[in-house]
Amino acid sequence: MKEFSINDIPEFSNKDRIVIVGVIGKSPYRYPNKATSLVPSEFFSENGIQCLWDERQSVLYLHAVTYFDTNRLCELANNLSENSTSTVKDADAAHWLVASGELAIESCKAFALLFHLCHIVILSSPTPVFDVGYLQLFKAIDAYRNELTGPITSALIEAGVSDAWEARGRFCCPRLLFHFRRAPTPLRKNPTALKRLEHAIEDQIYFILRKSRVITNVCVKSSFAIPKNEEFVYISTEEGTGNARDMSTLVRGLVQMCSGIQPEPNSRQTFAQFLQMHLDVAFEQGFNDNVGKYAMSTSFFELPSAKSWRTRAQALVPIYMKESPTLSDDQDNGDALFDALATDVRFSKARCAKVLPIAQASYAEGLPSHYSSQHHNHKVNIALGVVEAMARGPLAGGARSRLRAACATTWKTRRLCEAPSLTSHPCINPDHDGSKDHSSGVRYISVCNCGRSKCSRDDPYTVKAANFTFYSHAAEECGVCNTLQSIEFPVFQPSTPSFRAASVKGVIEEAPERAERCDGSGESPEGDQHSEGWSPDELSPGSAKDDDDDEPASSGDALNVMPVRGETVSAKVISRQPSTTEYLPGMLHINSPAGLLPAFSSWSLVCLGLSSLYSHSLGLPEHLQPGFLPHTNYLLPWDCAVRMEHANIWRTSSRGRGKGGSQHNLTVKIFIGFEYECPRGHRFMMSSPDSVMSGGGVSWGRDGAGAAGARLAASEMPIYAPCVCRPNTMLAQLMRLHVVTPKSSVHVTLSPKVQPALGVPTFVPRPESEGPIKLSSSAYWILRLPYIYSDERGPVPRPRNAAGYMGYMLTPLFGLQE
């Protein structure tokens, strides 16, 4: 036999009269093909119509390999995934209902082509039960054939067919035969009973097809016909035809042949003989299957030549096997095959089309003029809940996607800006460009630089607004800040209008030993000791004894001895002149390039007045420093015994007179306080890194208040601490350092250094080359710290809760100088 595909038909024969037999239907798993009884057993692995030409009998077999075959269906099930394609828009291609409808349409096209090109069509079935699901398929084929009447007629006229073909569109009404491949087991050896079963099935099939109007009295009006006086149902009893389940029968037959036992003669005809009877009728007088009053009329029937059939087939194959158009959402009806076979998809489409307006209405209900993404997501979830409750079928996923797109379109015109502020609050203004300022609607209570006035501040969106602009406006409202003595920190001074921000590479990471400070223990390694400063070990209780002196300090064991040195020429460093054309982006830190200064100062250092403004018995008065929580408005005294290195200093001091080593020691009292401020405007002092001040008259332990002040001065204070107000999850920030300098010839110096988070540089108010900040004696000084810290990479994120790293103000912070 010669084999070829229907899509590429060669000139296979020169015969003038041929009969075409089509084989459709289903095949069991692992069966070679449905035409095993007629052609050699070959396994076809691709979908399509395989053509097998029998030159001796002048019969052309057209075998339709579709997903009705079980092995092809299993391959589809294994390969069905989200990458599968579908002709239905927004359909879940991996959904079985979509796949089954697509496969039914593809198979129906092949079957319809066979009904047009064949004289005889064999419907194969693996079981002796007629599948009534074919009724829907037959109706779809008839509707599809009627839909293609116009294109088929035009194609046949162009191909040059005979008058009969041109008038009727085909050379005959094909005869449909039914082949059931497996007989019931009790009837396999009972030919008489099996024949009665075949006749009973014929009656049932004829009754079903007539009642469903698949076949009519006139063959020309139907896709196929049923022979009126001939058998058209055959139930096969042959065993060992390649089915794996018949292997035991093959083994028994082999044993019988080896034993010399002759098989029992089978008086029942084979399926090939059954088909040959119909082939003989086709070659002799043709088919006339009209019934009723049309039985005497002559039915059209023609045996084409191989050449003419090839010409017609080449013209009809592109029309029947064309790809189905993609069905869009606004199409009410697709083609005839989709309407007849994809009923589940059609139901899902109609259901989703009804549910989508309801879901969109639920989204639009109660919407404000502008709303945030959080509210948008909440409304989308409500609308999706409506779809989940009411939508059904494989298009429900596409309906959800369309709903999200429709909701996003609505939100796009009514969305808020939602740009995050430096404190992580979104902007509540409608979506806008850079010409309009952001606003989160959140307001905080803060005090001015000197602490005398409480002001309301907007949630900042820029570092300048947080650290400079607000405090400038607060100083104007206060009326006192601008009149106080202050120490100005260096800032960029442009010399040309075309100044710009400098290009600074990433900051250098902190040294590994810096991690030792992160535990908040307040201990510093020896490598951090400065020649002009002091170390925490010198401030611990009982350290007043000097290594060079044999006698203890006259001020007692509770005092702390620290050296006081004057300014020396060697300590002065020649610094690079700052740039006047480029400013430092962000704030100044210890790793900033030399010669660059920030555009504005984020720090402030003012003098409230004389040291007499503070009374340790009364604390900070409310009219001078408002907003402090009860019993937290006290500074800690620090009694410091200093060792004078120049004689002229202690000779002028009335307390320095004496003899021996003690005459060079001088005791000074310094008051210090670390003020924290929460967003609600609450202020309080801390007595240690983990405890809040609880009054000035309480006992500070056996070492006294002076030792408590020394420990506080030696501690690395956290930048953020939980506020004592409710709820206690509110974080307060270290905003001010209060220092009341003593009445003596020594000056207190400050070296503020802040590391607000891990992995960020240490911020300072001015370059380290300028040395520590020198405070005047007998005065009340307040150092205001930045509200937001920012380096070249941008603002440093603030912690959301007390569990995160709080950052620290590093030591040594205080020092003494002549």
Side-chain angles (χ1 to χ4, degrees):
M1 283 191 174
K2 188 175 182 179
E3 178 186 350
F4 51 90
S5 174
I6 193 70
N7 298 317
D8 186 15
I9 306 175
E11 294 183 0
F12 56 91
S13 179
N14 294 323
K15 290 195 174 184
D16 297 332
R17 299 173 74 246
I18 64 172
V19 174
I20 300 92
V21 178
V23 182
I24 63 174
K26 304 177 181 178
S27 64
Y29 188 58
R30 294 178 181 174
Y31 222 91
N33 56 66
K34 298 182 289 294
T36 304
S37 305
L38 307 174
V39 297
S41 298
E42 296 184 15
F43 188 83
F44 301 123
S45 58
E46 297 182 0
N47 293 347
I49 299 177
Q50 300 293 332
C51 304
L52 299 106
W53 167 245
D54 189 347
E55 182 73 21
R56 183 176 61 86
Q57 295 186 354
S58 300
V59 177
L60 178 63
Y61 295 96
L62 304 182
H63 176 213
V65 181
T66 65
Y67 284 106
F68 277 88
D69 299 306
T70 309
N71 58 330
R72 303 297 298 148
L73 195 62
C74 292
E75 291 183 11
L76 168 73
N78 294 332
N79 299 328
L80 195 62
S81 64
E82 58 183 8
N83 297 325
S84 304
T85 58
S86 173
T87 59
V88 184
K89 185 179 179 181
D90 295 334
D92 184 4
H95 201 288
W96 174 247
L97 293 179
V98 177
S100 61
E102 299 278 353
L103 300 179
I105 292 174
E106 181 181 346
S107 302
C108 187
K109 291 180 179 180
F111 294 171
L113 179 61
L114 262 61
F115 280 125
H116 200 117
L117 294 178
C118 297
H119 297 93
I120 300 173
V121 178
I122 301 172
L123 180 61
S124 179
S125 179
T127 62
V129 178
F130 175 68
D131 187 0
V132 294
Y134 282 117
L135 297 178
Q136 184 184 21
L137 190 66
F138 292 152
K139 293 179 180 180
I141 291 174
D142 188 64
Y144 186 54
R145 187 172 62 90
N146 294 331
E147 188 180 69
L148 298 179
T149 300
I152 289 175
T153 303
S154 301
L156 292 177
I157 293 175
E158 293 179 2
V161 299
S162 61
D163 295 339
W165 277 47
E166 183 179 349
R168 300 179 176 87
R170 52 183 176 172
F171 48 78
C172 76
C173 179
R175 176 175 288 185
L176 183 62
L177 307 179
F178 296 87
H179 180 204
F180 298 99
R181 304 193 64 89
R182 187 158 57 97
T185 303
L187 302 181
R188 287 183 180 180
K189 296 182 180 181
N190 192 343
T192 305
L194 192 59
K195 181 62 68 173
R196 290 198 300 268
L197 177 61
E198 289 176 346
H199 292 167
I201 294 177
E202 287 179 353
D203 295 340
Q204 293 179 0
I205 291 177
Y206 183 81
F207 178 78
I208 292 173
L209 296 179
R210 286 301 301 265
K211 282 295 184 181
S212 59
R213 303 187 68 82
V214 174
I215 60 175
T216 59
N217 292 338
V218 184
C219 299
V220 71
K221 297 181 180 180
S222 304
S223 299
F224 58 87
I226 297 295
K228 53 184 177 180
N229 295 322
E230 300 178 47
E231 296 180 346
F232 59 89
V233 172
Y234 181 85
I235 301 178
S236 184
T237 59
E238 294 93 344
E239 297 180 349
T241 56
N243 194 345
R245 291 175 292 185
D246 296 332
M247 188 60 65
S248 59
T249 305
L250 294 175
V251 173
R252 287 195 300 268
L254 179 62
V255 171
Q256 292 177 359
M257 294 176 63
C258 294
S259 302
I261 302 175
Q262 295 295 330
E264 298 180 1
N266 189 3
S267 59
R268 181 176 171 82
Q269 63 180 354
T270 63
F271 179 68
Q273 296 171 346
F274 170 80
L275 177 62
Q276 188 62 42
M277 295 187 304
H278 295 275
L279 292 175
D280 295 339
V281 175
F283 277 112
E284 292 174 2
Q285 70 268 15
F287 302 144
N288 185 9
D289 297 326
N290 292 333
V291 295
K293 63 181 180 179
Y294 304 98
M296 302 304 296
S297 62
T298 303
S299 178
F300 66 99
F301 187 88
E302 180 181 344
L303 290 179
S305 64
K307 183 178 180 180
S308 64
W309 182 90
R310 174 177 176 269
T311 303
R312 279 57 167 185
Q314 289 176 338
L316 295 177
V317 168
I319 299 176
Y320 273 98
M321 304 303 290
K322 66 178 180 180
E323 295 184 0
S324 299
T326 301
L327 300 180
S328 58
D329 298 331
D330 54 356
Q331 275 185 280
D332 294 334
N333 295 312
D335 54 8
L337 294 183
F338 180 83
D339 293 339
L341 299 177
T343 53
D344 298 308
V345 179
R346 290 175 55 207
F347 169 78
S348 179
K349 182 179 180 181
R351 188 65 182 170
C352 293
K354 182 178 181 180
V355 171
L356 271 179
I358 301 175
Q360 293 178 8
S362 66
Y363 173 83
E365 183 180 2
L367 282 180
S369 59
H370 293 84
Y371 50 98
S372 64
S373 59
Q374 183 179 5
H375 188 68
H376 164 72
N377 294 333
H378 173 68
K379 297 292 288 184
V380 168
N381 290 334
I382 294 177
L384 288 176
V386 175
V387 175
E388 292 289 345
M390 303 177 65
R392 294 293 184 272
L395 297 184
R400 290 192 292 268
S401 301
R402 294 196 300 273
L403 176 62
R404 290 191 181 96
C407 295
T409 302
T410 303
W411 178 54
K412 186 176 181 179
T413 59
R414 306 169 70 174
R415 64 186 302 175
L416 297 178
C417 175
E418 294 189 281
S421 68
L422 298 183
T423 57
S424 302
H425 292 97
C427 176
I428 61 174
N429 291 331
D431 197 12
H432 56 87
D433 53 13
S435 61
K436 184 177 181 180
D437 295 335
H438 296 290
S439 175
S440 65
V442 179
R443 300 182 68 86
Y444 302 118
I445 302 297
S446 296
V447 295
C448 60
N449 290 329
C450 68
R452 290 177 179 268
S453 301
K454 299 176 66 174
C455 304
S456 176
R457 73 184 304 163
D458 293 328
D459 194 12
Y461 274 83
T462 63
V463 178
K464 184 175 182 180
N467 296 341
F468 181 77
T469 306
F470 165 74
Y471 291 103
S472 298
H473 295 165
E476 296 177 358
E477 294 185 10
C478 174
V480 178
C481 292
N482 294 331
T483 62
L484 298 176
Q485 177 188 354
S486 63
I487 296 179
E488 301 294 335
F489 296 112
V491 293
F492 170 72
Q493 299 295 335
S495 61
T496 174
S498 60
F499 60 89
R500 59 185 177 86
S503 177
V504 182
K505 296 182 179 180
V507 296
I508 304 174
E509 297 294 335
E510 293 291 316
E513 59 266 15
R514 195 66 253 156
E516 298 179 1
R517 302 181 183 271
C518 299
D519 57 356
S521 60
E523 298 181 357
S524 301
E526 295 181 359
D528 290 339
Q529 297 179 9
H530 293 265
S531 59
E532 292 106 348
W534 45 270
S535 69
D537 295 336
E538 294 176 345
L539 296 181
S540 59
S543 63
K545 184 176 181 180
D546 187 69
D547 295 338
D548 299 332
D549 299 332
D550 297 331
E551 298 181 7
S554 60
S555 57
D557 294 337
L559 301 182
N560 302 276
V561 181
M562 58 185 302
V564 178
R565 298 178 176 88
E567 296 186 26
T568 60
V569 179
S570 59
K572 296 182 180 180
V573 180
I574 300 177
S575 60
R576 174 184 172 184
Q577 291 297 324
S579 173
T580 59
T581 58
E582 293 183 336
Y583 62 88
L584 177 69
M587 295 170 52
L588 189 67
H589 54 82
I590 60 176
N591 295 323
S592 296
L596 292 179
L597 294 177
F600 55 90
S601 177
S602 298
W603 307 68
S604 172
L605 181 58
V606 296
C607 178
L608 296 185
L610 299 177
S611 59
S612 59
L613 290 175
Y614 176 72
S615 173
H616 189 52
S617 59
L618 300 177
L620 295 173
E622 180 67 19
H623 69 278
L624 183 63
Q625 296 290 322
F628 274 92
L629 296 176
H631 311 295
T632 63
N633 56 338
Y634 290 90
L635 306 181
L636 273 183
W638 173 21
D639 295 333
C640 183
V642 298
R643 183 174 66 251
M644 312 303 295
E645 294 187 353
H646 297 84
N648 60 344
I649 297 179
W650 67 267
R651 287 195 184 102
T652 57
S653 175
S654 60
R655 302 187 59 181
R657 297 174 182 175
K659 61 180 180 177
S662 61
Q663 63 183 357
H664 298 285
N665 291 342
L666 178 67
T667 302
V668 295
K669 183 181 290 292
I670 306 171
F671 291 92
I672 60 174
F674 292 87
E675 177 193 331
Y676 289 77
E677 182 180 280
C678 84
R680 296 180 177 180
H682 299 151
R683 306 168 66 188
F684 58 90
M685 298 288 183
M686 297 281 285
S687 60
S688 68
D690 54 359
S691 61
V692 180
M693 182 71 66
S694 59
V698 300
S699 174
W700 297 102
R702 61 180 182 180
D703 297 328
R711 287 193 296 269
L712 181 64
S715 301
E716 291 188 340
M717 299 299 292
I719 302 300
Y720 302 95
C723 184
V724 296
C725 64
R726 294 183 179 181
N728 54 8
T729 55
M730 187 74 68
L731 284 181
Q733 182 177 348
L734 176 60
M735 288 302 302
R736 290 168 190 80
L737 174 63
H738 297 249
V739 181
V740 179
T741 58
K743 298 178 181 179
S744 68
S745 56
V746 295
H747 296 274
V748 177
T749 62
L750 297 179
S751 300
K753 297 184 289 295
V754 176
Q755 187 183 26
L758 288 174
V760 300
T762 301
F763 295 93
V764 292
R766 64 182 186 179
E768 289 190 309
S769 59
E770 298 185 9
I773 306 170
K774 185 177 179 180
L775 305 181
S776 61
S777 60
S778 186
Y780 192 150
W781 289 88
I782 293 181
L783 173 68
R784 194 262 303 163
L785 277 66
Y787 186 76
I788 296 292
Y789 295 89
S790 175
D791 58 6
E792 295 83 359
R793 297 170 295 182
V796 178
R798 299 159 63 95
R800 295 182 178 273
N801 49 58
Y805 177 76
M806 295 298 182
Y808 292 93
M809 174 172 274
L810 308 180
T811 57
L813 175 61
F814 298 98
L816 295 179
Q817 196 177 83
E818 294 182 11

